[in-house]
Amino acid sequence: MSSASSPSDDALARERAHLAASRAALRAMREDVEALDIRDVTANWVNAEVLGRQIDERIKALADLSDTPLFFGRLDFLHAPGADRPENAQGAERARDAEPAEDVEDAEDGRPGAGAVDRRFYIGRRHVHDADGDPMVIDWRAPVSQAFYRGSRKDPMDIGLRRRFGYTGGELTAYEDEHLTDPAEAETTSRLLQQEIEKPRVGPMRDIVATIQPEQDEIVRAGLGGTVCVQGGPGTGKTAVGLHRVAYLLYAYRDRLARTGTLVVGPNRSFLHYIEQVLPALGELEVKQATVDDLVAHVEVRGVDEPATALLKGDVRMAEVLRRAVRSHVTLPDEAVVVVRGSRRWRVPAYELEEIVQELLARDIRYGAAREALPQRIAHAVLVRMEQSGEAPDDRVQDAVARNAAVKAAVKAIWPPVDPAKLVLRLLSDPEFLAAQSEGVLDEDERKLLLWTRPARSVRSAKWSAADAVLIDEAADLVRRTPSLGHVVLDEAQDLSPMQYRAVGRRCTTGSATVLGDLAQGTTPWATRTWEEALRHLGKPDGVIEELTAGFRVPTDVITYASRLLPHIAPGLTPVASVRENPGFFEIRRVDAAEAVVAACGELLRNEGSVGLIAADARVPVLAEALAAAGVGYLSPGEETTVSTRLTLVPASLAKGLEYDYVVLDEPAAVVDGEPDERTGLRRLYVALTRAVSGLLVTHTAPLPPHLA
């Protein structure tokens, strides 16, 4: 393997020349789009507006980020892979991604195939072609790029040479070669790869296209048809895998997902701010992001449930209670419907109406759909009588009968409209109604937990909780089907209740999902026990469960220390094995005041990279006051886009999913004591301990939890 620090000057100059030419080609692609004149190609202003918006999005997607490498690798194949084409290619541009890149020979390589023009591919974040349409950079998602991630000495995948590039800022400064088919070359760890993995981070999460590992690549490139669940401990890259999987699916199935849509669901707004730049950096601008609370925002949430009440409201049994409550509005008819048309009166007797209602109930279709079908069924019964009397009514007559006042009155009495929020309000306020709908499902003590001590008079005045909003969403789906997306990524899924899983699952009933999480990091009373159970609640029982156990982000000493908690919080779960060469900085320090914690932050700020001060939520105001007194500026989670301020003060409840180069963890015992039970507290502590990428400093005044001994 060539040295990453002393590459051939001639070869490096040629690679830099290709980088400059590729950037110029990308700039020309952007200018071509900017110069498009659509004044004479659209039929009306609506089409012009849509096309104009698409052009604007294309211009943004072609932006050249000066500090982001345009390509990060090169493949020289032994034989030209001319038969490869992007799976399900949606246009000439991506079809060309499988074509060879133009380049000059590298005389110093001296290996079979190393200088063959028709066998060389530069792998980067997006496709770039020259003025003739020949690709200069291949999209990392193209099938031909797969060999960059999965090629090995055991299975070279016809690779003669794999070259990785090193960058400083946006400048190409090094390269490193692997000759996978050369038995004389010893297998070593890529230093450039290791440096990229361990690179200090400031600001939001960045993409990992240059460092995707074979086991991660298999998940990223899994097809659209199935649901994938990824169990991954801290630092295994599960979030990055999920985001890159979205980018891959949008590449391989763009037309289908353009129609059906994609969505990334995260645990909170801070987390979404942290990851929001990853997909745009990969050229994907249209993926929506939301929390579960955003998805079910039917009412304003102003209340907070006690843990036991929230646990019960999240129980899957509530789905049956709501189903019964919705269907309870149907009343079997006890009198006939008489329709007057001209001089004739047409009568549908009560027993026949009951048969129609029972048949609709038996079909178990949405309440609203059945309500819309009922007047047509009654009208059909009238038309049968008309035909029997010798008339020849058509569809227009049936529609007119369905709109008849008598029919509309009967429908209103038999199958009245249901407002989901009012339905849930009644369940939580009316003891008799709740008892009737939950008989045999909930016991008396559970009903008492659900009932409000001060019933609200209206939907608007009610102090709804987050769990109530999920119940309303369930009721809304029982009335009217929730539109389905093509693919949903659900991150930090271990913290969802069964009813929340159902809310997300409704958004992908006809699509697929990527579920990401770590059972050891579940910090809610309803935290997921098994992924099989979670997939059932999501409506994807056939989903495939994958496990990532190689840790790329958390240093060895840190993850080893944090793993002491695993027997207490997730017995049987495979500990993360760090693959980092640098063991990282790790220290436990006894302090006597908050000022000493601030001083520890100052020490770590002397290093390159970001610093996160993580503390129990109750300790945050004390530390904020100490930071202000010392004149130390800090951010809140989700504000890390401000590069000039590298310290973030993080409540432990918001730390999940975030990463910082260095972490100061304040008072571990307070993190544990801040939760309603010890198990949840230890899981919260496990999360806090594993947010560090380069080093962890634990400060404490009180004794450490004995589980860390």
Side-chain angles (χ1 to χ4, degrees):
M1 181 178 292
S2 300
S3 169
S5 57
S6 56
S8 161
D9 290 341
D10 290 342
L12 190 59
R14 283 195 293 271
E15 299 295 15
R16 286 173 172 168
H18 186 77
L19 175 61
S22 298
R23 288 199 182 280
L26 179 61
R27 186 165 56 252
M29 291 170 61
R30 181 184 174 98
E31 290 170 352
D32 287 345
V33 178
E34 291 174 332
L36 289 174
D37 186 350
I38 63 172
R39 287 175 295 181
D40 298 326
V41 298
T42 54
N44 52 56
W45 71 269
V46 176
N47 291 342
E49 185 76 18
V50 172
L51 184 56
R53 187 161 54 249
Q54 291 174 342
I55 290 174
D56 289 341
E57 292 168 358
R58 178 64 176 158
I59 291 171
K60 292 177 183 177
L62 290 172
D64 185 5
L65 307 178
S66 59
D67 59 344
T68 301
L70 193 56
F71 57 78
F72 47 82
R74 194 185 98 186
L75 291 177
D76 291 3
F77 286 92
L78 297 174
H79 307 89
D84 284 355
R85 291 293 183 271
E87 179 187 8
N88 194 32
Q90 302 296 333
E93 178 174 310
R94 280 182 292 134
R96 284 194 297 268
D97 270 353
E99 297 297 332
E102 296 290 341
D103 197 1
V104 295
E105 294 189 9
D106 282 345
E108 85 286 1
D109 285 337
R111 309 289 176 133
V117 172
D118 59 345
R119 303 173 190 171
R120 179 166 302 159
F121 301 83
Y122 284 85
I123 311 301
R125 284 168 171 75
R126 65 195 64 191
H127 166 92
V128 179
H129 62 254
D130 62 17
D132 296 325
D134 295 322
M136 303 184 70
V137 179
I138 306 298
D139 195 304
W140 67 275
R141 297 168 288 187
V144 73
S145 303
Q146 183 173 310
F148 182 80
Y149 300 108
R150 300 195 194 180
S152 65
R153 295 187 178 279
K154 185 176 180 180
D155 181 13
M157 300 182 71
D158 200 46
I159 299 173
L161 177 142
R162 174 168 58 196
R163 175 169 289 179
R164 299 181 189 274
F165 296 106
Y167 287 82
T168 301
E171 182 182 356
L172 198 162
T173 55
Y175 71 80
E176 197 174 60
D177 288 344
E178 297 172 89
H179 300 90
L180 300 183
T181 55
D182 186 352
E185 185 176 278
E187 184 169 5
T188 58
T189 302
S190 168
R191 291 170 57 191
L192 286 179
L193 180 63
Q194 199 69 33
Q195 289 171 10
E196 179 65 24
I197 289 174
E198 299 182 12
K199 182 186 295 183
R201 67 168 65 243
V202 177
M205 182 180 180
R206 58 178 181 260
D207 67 75
I208 62 164
V209 289
T211 62
I212 293 174
Q213 299 300 293
E215 65 273 19
Q216 296 174 325
D217 189 64
E218 289 184 16
I219 298 171
V220 167
R221 296 178 190 266
L224 181 62
T227 288
V228 179
C229 176
V230 182
Q231 158 63 39
T236 56
K238 57 184 178 295
T239 295
V241 166
L243 294 174
H244 287 68
R245 175 160 162 71
V246 171
Y248 170 77
L249 293 175
L250 286 169
Y251 171 86
Y253 306 93
R254 188 169 301 278
D255 280 357
R256 189 188 311 179
L257 291 178
R259 294 191 303 269
T260 56
T262 52
L263 173 68
V264 174
V265 180
N268 52 57
R269 278 281 145 204
S270 298
F271 177 84
L272 293 179
H273 284 308
Y274 177 63
I275 68 171
E276 66 184 357
Q277 297 302 318
V278 175
L279 288 169
L282 298 174
E284 301 299 344
L285 307 172
E286 291 302 302
V287 180
K288 296 180 180 179
Q289 296 183 347
T291 64
V292 174
D293 291 343
D294 294 332
L295 299 181
V296 300
H298 302 282
V299 292
E300 181 183 359
V301 173
R302 296 185 294 134
V304 178
D305 288 317
E306 293 294 326
T309 303
L311 181 63
L312 179 57
K313 288 179 179 179
D315 194 303
V316 72
R317 291 177 296 164
M318 291 302 299
E320 173 59 20
V321 175
L322 288 165
R323 191 187 75 86
R324 292 183 184 181
V326 170
R327 291 167 65 95
S328 71
H329 288 76
V330 178
T331 302
L332 294 179
D334 55 7
E335 59 182 38
V337 171
V338 178
V339 176
V340 178
R341 284 186 59 81
S343 61
R344 303 292 299 272
R345 294 164 60 88
W346 307 98
R347 184 175 183 274
V348 182
Y351 75 86
E352 189 170 345
L353 291 174
E354 182 176 342
E355 290 175 357
I356 293 173
V357 172
Q358 293 287 14
E359 190 267 336
L360 287 172
L361 288 171
R363 289 181 59 193
D364 202 26
I365 59 178
R366 294 295 194 283
Y367 185 92
R371 187 173 188 275
E372 291 172 357
L374 181 57
Q376 291 291 336
R377 296 297 178 87
I378 296 174
H380 177 72
V382 172
L383 260 65
V384 169
R385 284 161 172 73
M386 290 181 177
E387 291 170 349
Q388 290 172 345
S389 68
E391 295 190 16
D394 56 19
D395 291 344
R396 291 174 297 177
V397 175
Q398 179 166 333
D399 290 339
V401 173
R403 296 193 300 268
N404 182 273
V407 174
K408 291 168 69 174
V411 169
K412 185 176 181 179
I414 298 169
W415 215 292
V418 170
D419 181 283
K422 290 180 179 179
L423 174 75
V424 175
L425 178 65
R426 185 181 176 191
L427 270 177
L428 301 178
S429 306
D430 186 337
E432 293 182 1
F433 185 63
L434 176 61
Q437 309 314 319
S438 62
E439 184 178 358
V441 179
L442 306 178
D443 60 33
E444 188 60 34
D445 290 337
E446 289 174 322
R447 292 178 194 132
K448 290 179 180 178
L449 278 177
L450 290 178
L451 287 169
W452 287 342
T453 54
R454 294 182 179 179
R457 294 182 178 180
S458 67
V459 170
R460 181 171 297 182
S461 65
K463 288 189 175 181
W464 298 105
S465 68
D468 294 334
V470 178
L471 297 181
I472 294 172
D473 191 71
E474 178 84 23
D477 185 70
L478 290 166
V479 174
R480 187 77 58 186
R481 183 183 299 275
T482 304
S484 175
L485 298 165
H487 193 77
V488 172
V489 174
L490 176 59
D491 205 351
E492 300 296 346
Q494 72 278 347
D495 276 335
L496 267 61
S497 70
M499 292 299 286
Q500 287 175 317
Y501 275 117
R502 289 174 63 87
V504 176
R506 285 191 283 277
R507 272 74 187 178
C508 56
T509 50
T510 59
S512 56
T514 300
V515 181
L516 312 165
D518 179 12
L519 297 178
Q521 296 186 56
T523 52
T524 56
W526 47 81
T528 302
R529 292 174 294 183
T530 69
W531 291 121
E532 290 83 1
E533 179 182 334
L535 289 170
R536 286 198 302 273
H537 294 317
L538 193 68
K540 307 292 182 184
D542 298 328
V544 176
I545 301 174
E546 303 282 358
E547 186 172 12
L548 297 175
T549 58
F552 303 99
R553 301 302 297 165
V554 184
T556 302
D557 290 352
V558 174
I559 196 63
T560 301
Y561 183 69
S563 294
R564 296 181 182 184
L565 298 174
L566 284 179
H568 308 284
I569 61 177
L573 202 63
T574 304
V576 172
S578 178
V579 298
R580 295 171 58 124
E581 292 181 346
N582 184 350
F585 165 78
F586 175 58
E587 180 184 342
I588 301 174
R589 182 184 300 178
R590 182 179 287 275
V591 298
D592 54 8
E595 288 72 20
V597 179
V598 174
C601 293
E603 293 175 24
L604 295 181
L605 284 169
R606 296 175 192 148
N607 301 312
E608 181 185 1
S610 58
V611 177
L613 172 54
I614 303 178
D617 291 29
R619 290 271 300 164
V620 168
V622 175
L623 294 173
E625 184 177 345
L627 288 168
V632 179
Y634 65 90
L635 303 170
S636 298
E639 297 177 349
E640 288 88 354
T641 53
T642 306
V643 178
S644 59
T645 304
R646 296 187 291 121
L647 175 65
T648 305
L649 178 56
V650 187
S653 62
L654 295 181
K656 194 169 299 177
L658 306 180
E659 288 181 345
Y660 302 93
D661 284 294
Y662 294 92
V663 166
V664 176
L665 175 58
D666 168 74
E667 212 63 75
V671 174
V672 177
D673 294 342
E675 300 298 326
D677 60 83
E678 183 182 75
R679 183 184 178 92
T680 303
L682 290 174
R683 287 185 169 186
R684 185 76 73 189
L685 178 59
Y686 180 74
V687 172
L689 286 168
T690 55
R691 299 305 95 199
V693 172
S694 298
L696 171 67
L697 174 56
V698 178
T699 60
H700 69 103
T701 302
L704 294 172
H707 312 80
L708 290 174

